[in-house]
Amino acid sequence: MKIPTSIDELLYNEQTYGGLNLVYENYIVNSTTTTTGAQSAFIAQRLLKEFIMPAVTAPVVGALVTELYCSNVNNVITGLEYNLGTWDRSSGTRFSAGVAMPSKAIRNAPAVQMAGNLVFLFVEATISSSPAVATISCLDQDGNARTINVTIATSTQINTCYYLPTYFPQGMTGITAVTNISVAATEPTAGKFSIRAVLPFNVSTGTFPQSIPGNPLMNPIIEPGEKIAQYKLGSTQSAAGSAGLNHIHLTPVT
Amino acid sequence: MITKHSDFIKQVSDNKFWKHVFKTDRTNTSGLTSSNNFSTVASAGLAPLTLPASSYGWIMTMASIASNSIGSNILIAEVLDFGQLDLNTNVFTPGADSAGFGNKFQFGASTPHSGIVMMELIGAALNGTGNQVNITYVDQDGNAAETGRNVVLSNGSVVGSAGILSLSDVDTRVRRITGATKVAGGTTQGVLQFYGIKNSAMIPVASGTMFSQDFIINSFAPIKFPSAANLRLYTIAGNVAGALLGWLDLVEETP
């Protein structure tokens, strides 16, 4: 993989292989329940829409985000999202495995194992009335088995996101895979949540574009089939329907 | 084809550039879809701009816009004519570009292109109430007969009001629209024009200031426009009256 390292290389790839100026609207599907305990001052909401990186033609292997702009919704983190595992009350087995964090080449170095440290417990279907404790069995940044316990608030609504690193045990800085999820105390009668790890590109302030040349960053390369998702961070919730127009520029990488 | 930064400088030194100056006033202050079904409110199309003819098209290197009172993200968009819905007769007429966005060379191959659709009220202000429309489209993956949300049009919307077409939850963009129908509301005037937004840039402009953004050095997002492209300007979530003065810096592409 040859990651562009100059304006000329970006221009060459853009013109020779064709870049994509990705424009789409995204929005918050509904307001969230204010989270509890250690989460009380920190709200995250997942925006609804996703972008899946399409197939590419050799020698192109992926793309680099060179500009990121989301109007109107402040403090939106945009990045690659991986669903590490799901707990679904309607499923007999409850837990279904997701993907492991990938290996990625950063700045022309050999690919290394990624560990997610921007990780959310994302509520996909409203958790019914019982307060519950989710036990997440996972592997940390070094491959060690770990356990994370998260108290889920009563009647947690769709779109609530618990910021998981708050609950990481001492010595754990990232997560590479989820091996099991169980919910104890009183198991809710309904609900669904998943563990979503994000490799962030940047934060869009809603008032100014963020870009690679203007502020060089170590953005991960997007490979075919990978997903771009967005999370709104902040101490206050945004109402359902809060929307922004995305301008995300993708330049080919060979 | 311009593949190095020095190519831009060479083209400028050879007088192969264009500074497209514009000034526009906007008096209307309403959004087309205030309830908007989650849609970003995009008010009033501003000035239609037609770029000069060029054998190889243009690359926009910078945009500069001053505002006396409009504080908004400004969308600079190449528009395609996807069609019109007469809100009085409820008849949809496909536009000159109803075949859609077509193919685009992207990530090493020619692939179907997709984008957003802007709805803009033309002809006459809405004088009816409770008007809703629904638009069918081919989505970004080529799935036909997709149905968007019913779009609630704001009562009394004035000419130039606009909004981005709301899509179903799983869709982000469309390849083309296949039809539009008024599904609720009484007799009204006005025509909904559907524009496909093909190539675009967005820049922030604060009220009472001028802002410049380059798309090559400080922010890498080269925007290519074809010869004689039709551009329109939209304010995103900025429904105030005012004037915009500015220019687009364009460098002519090479063979």
Side-chain angles (χ1 to χ4, degrees):
Chain A
M1 186 178 292
K2 177 70 173 68
I3 298 173
T5 56
S6 68
I7 295 291
D8 280 355
E9 288 183 5
L10 287 171
L11 261 176
Y12 180 85
N13 282 7
E14 178 78 22
Q15 293 277 68
T16 305
Y17 305 115
L20 171 61
N21 201 38
L22 174 63
V23 182
Y24 65 101
E25 186 179 52
N26 209 349
Y27 51 84
I28 290 170
V29 66
N30 61 326
S31 301
T32 69
T33 298
T34 301
T35 50
T36 60
Q39 300 285 316
S40 59
F42 199 77
I43 302 296
Q45 295 169 279
R46 188 181 188 277
L47 280 68
L48 181 70
K49 305 276 184 169
E50 305 168 340
F51 169 75
I52 308 295
M53 179 68 186
V56 299
T57 301
V60 177
V61 296
L64 183 65
V65 169
T66 53
E67 186 190 72
L68 178 62
Y69 194 3
C70 179
S71 72
N72 307 342
V73 182
N74 287 329
N75 305 322
V76 170
I77 285 181
T78 302
L80 292 178
E81 182 197 68
Y82 304 90
N83 186 345
L84 304 183
T86 302
W87 182 88
D88 186 349
R89 180 62 178 80
S90 67
S91 162
T93 57
R94 304 289 195 269
F95 172 69
S96 58
V99 300
M101 294 297 289
S103 294
K104 288 276 183 187
I106 299 290
R107 286 288 181 252
N108 297 320
V112 296
Q113 172 68 51
M114 296 285 108
N117 54 13
L118 184 64
V119 191
F120 300 100
L121 187 158
F122 167 53
V123 175
E124 298 184 45
T126 299
I127 309 292
S128 63
S129 60
S130 302
V133 175
T135 298
I136 301 154
S137 302
C138 58
L139 303 179
D140 71 9
Q141 69 282 354
D142 299 316
N144 301 314
R146 297 279 195 171
T147 300
I148 304 168
N149 295 315
V150 182
T151 300
I152 300 174
T154 299
S155 301
T156 302
Q157 298 296 306
I158 294 174
N159 200 37
T160 297
C161 291
Y162 289 77
Y163 179 63
L164 218 54
T166 302
Y167 300 92
F168 281 2
Q170 191 170 14
M172 182 175 180
T173 58
I175 187 168
T176 54
V178 170
T179 54
N180 191 45
I181 303 172
S182 61
V183 178
T186 304
E187 186 182 53
T189 56
K192 180 181 180 182
F193 63 84
S194 54
I195 307 301
R196 307 289 182 109
V198 178
L199 297 179
F201 300 136
N202 210 334
V203 174
S204 184
T205 63
T207 54
F208 204 86
Q210 307 291 330
S211 72
I212 283 278
N215 181 23
L217 301 166
M218 291 197 298
N219 273 351
I221 301 300
I222 312 169
E223 296 172 67
E226 290 193 311
K227 179 197 301 176
I228 291 178
Q230 295 181 303
Y231 288 80
K232 193 269 181 186
L233 304 179
S235 57
T236 56
Q237 301 180 137
S238 286
S242 299
L245 183 63
N246 282 316
H247 250 259
I248 301 173
H249 195 84
L250 302 173
T251 295
V253 172
T254 58
Chain B
M1 189 163 59
I2 290 174
T3 57
K4 300 189 299 295
H5 185 255
S6 56
D7 293 341
F8 284 115
I9 298 170
K10 175 73 165 53
Q11 286 295 87
V12 172
S13 68
D14 289 344
N15 206 29
K16 293 180 177 177
F17 69 96
W18 179 253
K19 187 179 283 288
H20 201 99
V21 180
F22 61 86
K23 190 265 183 182
T24 183
D25 295 310
R26 190 182 63 179
T27 56
N28 60 300
T29 58
S30 68
L32 180 64
T33 57
S34 60
S35 58
N36 73 42
N37 298 313
F38 304 126
S39 177
T40 299
V41 176
S43 65
L46 296 169
L49 312 169
T50 302
L51 296 185
S54 160
S55 299
Y56 308 107
W58 303 95
I59 298 178
M60 186 164 65
T61 55
M62 180 174 279
S64 304
I65 300 179
S67 165
N68 67 336
S69 59
I70 299 171
S72 173
N73 293 297
I74 307 293
L75 185 71
I76 305 164
E78 177 197 356
V79 296
L80 302 182
D81 178 9
F82 276 6
Q84 297 181 345
L85 173 65
D86 188 319
L87 295 168
N88 180 31
T89 62
N90 202 10
V91 172
F92 174 73
T93 305
D97 303 308
S98 60
F101 289 106
N103 278 18
K104 176 180 181 297
F105 188 69
Q106 173 184 300
F107 303 132
S110 180
T111 55
H113 186 55
S114 53
I116 59 173
V117 174
M118 191 71 78
M119 304 176 295
E120 187 171 329
L121 187 66
I122 62 174
L126 280 179
N127 60 352
T129 59
N131 283 285
Q132 295 185 35
V133 296
N134 192 286
I135 295 90
T136 53
Y137 58 90
V138 178
D139 72 11
Q140 70 282 342
D141 300 318
N143 299 312
E146 294 279 321
T147 303
R149 291 191 181 84
N150 287 351
V151 178
V152 180
L153 304 181
S154 300
N155 298 336
S157 289
V158 299
V159 170
S161 303
I164 296 170
L165 176 61
S166 294
L167 307 177
S168 68
D169 282 353
V170 297
D171 293 330
T172 54
R173 293 154 294 141
V174 308
R175 292 185 183 180
R176 64 187 176 93
I177 64 173
T178 52
T181 307
K182 187 168 79 170
V183 293
T187 301
T188 185
Q189 304 177 90
V191 172
L192 271 188
Q193 167 73 49
F194 298 96
Y195 287 121
I197 305 298
K198 188 171 186 182
N199 296 298
S200 63
M202 191 162 63
I203 73 171
V205 177
S207 174
T209 67
M210 186 167 198
F211 183 80
S212 290
Q213 182 179 333
D214 90 76
F215 302 106
I216 304 297
I217 297 296
N218 189 48
S219 179
F220 189 80
I223 310 300
K224 299 180 73 168
F225 293 125
S227 172
N230 290 317
L231 308 186
R232 295 184 72 78
L233 303 182
Y234 294 93
T235 59
I236 305 296
N239 294 330
V240 296
L244 296 175
L245 167 68
W247 53 84
L248 311 178
D249 288 291
L250 301 128
V251 174
E252 193 168 15
E253 179 63 287
T254 58

